[in-house]
Amino acid sequence: MYFNWGAQHSYIYGNGDNINLVLDKSAGSGVQSHRAFLFGSIEMLIKLVPGNSAGTVTAYYLSSTGDYHNEIDFEFLGNSSGQPYTMHTNIFTQGKGNREQQFKLWFDPTTDFHNYTIHWNPTAVVWYVDSIPIRVFRNYRSEGIGYPDEQGMQVYSSLWNADNWATRGGLVKIDWTRAPFMAGLRRFNARACKWNGPVSVFQCALPTPGNWWTSPVYKQLNWDQQGKMKWVRDNYMIYDYCTDYKRFNWKMAPECYKPQY
């Protein structure tokens, strides 16, 4: 990865395995992968901004470019001291998003590094936190529902000022007396198919031993994984676009009526 903005006040340390993203009044900071990928497993260990992080957002996501881009998101919305972070997830297909699901975390994400993984193959996208699946978005392209299977995506992470919306809808602003704010990244690991242009759409989806993400074991969560995901969603999920009937005027996205896991 390399810094794509804010490098002047952020830093890499520990044999290049660790990055501290920094936000102060002058700017935030961000990194991105040199390569783009199509399918596989994208992992990062992240330690979020401690203390009063209200108004800050730490983002970790995959994205292509252009008006019809694909994107798979983790975003961590800071909060006032003592309040839990909100973990925000979303997925864009061919430029269309509005598929937010939000969770409170069941641990303090600021005291240690935790594993956040996006696992993505021709069957489904799965978001994991410390190996626990929290969300699945299945491929229903054959039924006219968009799916991110035709564009390579680079990996990005950033720490930025979002106090116009991040905490209580923008009511709570950043307390700049607590700056600089820091988030730690460690051991970025892309066990994924490298994007080499349109030929990769075919090559990365081939069910071969080298394309381990196409193995049948990754087509469906096992019973243990489903049980853990149900526990998270029953106890820690605080928003699901599929149940926000007022926002969408009862015209819900078609995938909301499909089994996802």
Side-chain angles (χ1 to χ4, degrees), residues 9 27 45 47 87 89 99 108 142 147 162 172 190 203 220 223 229 260:
H9 61 190
L45 298 180
K47 184 177 178 182
M87 179 173 63
T89 67
R99 297 184 175 107
D108 184 344
S142 63
Y147 189 76
V172 185
Q203 288 178 342
Q220 185 84 42
W223 284 110
M229 185 164 70
Q260 296 295 334

Side-chain angles (χ1 to χ4, degrees), residues 106-118:
W106 50 97
F107 53 85
D108 184 344
T110 71
T111 58
D112 206 349
F113 287 86
H114 290 268
N115 184 302
Y116 302 92
T117 294
I118 294 166

Side-chain angles (χ1 to χ4, degrees), residues 205-217:
L206 278 175
T208 62
N211 288 354
W212 60 268
W213 49 86
T214 63
S215 166
V217 74

Side-chain angles (χ1 to χ4, degrees), residues 168-208:
R168 294 183 59 212
L171 291 176
V172 185
K173 302 300 184 184
I174 289 179
D175 178 0
W176 290 110
T177 65
R178 295 175 178 268
F181 301 97
M182 278 190 245
L185 310 179
R186 181 179 286 175
R187 293 208 289 270
F188 164 61
N189 187 17
R191 297 183 300 122
C193 193
K194 294 179 177 67
W195 174 257
N196 292 309
V199 68
S200 295
V201 173
F202 172 72
Q203 288 178 342
C204 294
L206 278 175
T208 62

Side-chain angles (χ1 to χ4, degrees), residues 50-224:
N52 184 359
S53 57
T56 72
V57 168
T58 306
Y60 162 52
Y61 59 101
L62 301 172
S63 185
S64 58
T65 55
D67 292 340
Y68 298 96
H69 80 294
N70 295 333
E71 186 176 324
I72 305 167
D73 295 344
F74 275 109
E75 288 185 307
F76 303 93
L77 314 185
N79 220 329
S80 304
S81 296
Q83 299 298 313
Y85 263 80
T86 295
M87 179 173 63
H88 177 100
T89 67
N90 201 357
I91 182 167
F92 289 72
T93 58
Q94 295 80 52
K96 178 185 177 296
N98 295 329
R99 297 184 175 107
E100 301 91 347
Q101 291 184 359
Q102 293 184 339
F103 305 80
K104 294 298 185 188
L105 289 166
W106 50 97
F107 53 85
D108 184 344
T110 71
T111 58
D112 206 349
F113 287 86
H114 290 268
N115 184 302
Y116 302 92
T117 294
I118 294 166
H119 188 274
W120 160 47
N121 65 21
T123 304
V125 176
V126 187
W127 291 251
Y128 289 90
V129 176
D130 289 337
S131 301
I132 296 175
I134 62 158
R135 178 178 182 177
V136 178
F137 185 85
R138 293 192 81 77
N139 185 352
Y140 287 107
R141 181 183 282 283
S142 63
E143 300 182 38
I145 297 168
Y147 189 76
D149 59 0
E150 85 304 352
Q151 300 175 41
M153 294 197 277
Q154 287 172 281
V155 187
Y156 299 83
S157 185
S158 57
L159 173 60
W160 48 289
N161 172 4
D163 72 1
N164 60 328
W165 66 274
T167 306
R168 294 183 59 212
L171 291 176
V172 185
K173 302 300 184 184
I174 289 179
D175 178 0
W176 290 110
T177 65
R178 295 175 178 268
F181 301 97
M182 278 190 245
L185 310 179
R186 181 179 286 175
R187 293 208 289 270
F188 164 61
N189 187 17
R191 297 183 300 122
C193 193
K194 294 179 177 67
W195 174 257
N196 292 309
V199 68
S200 295
V201 173
F202 172 72
Q203 288 178 342
C204 294
L206 278 175
T208 62
N211 288 354
W212 60 268
W213 49 86
T214 63
S215 166
V217 74
Y218 297 112
K219 290 190 173 179
Q220 185 84 42
L221 297 181
N222 63 37
W223 284 110
D224 180 58

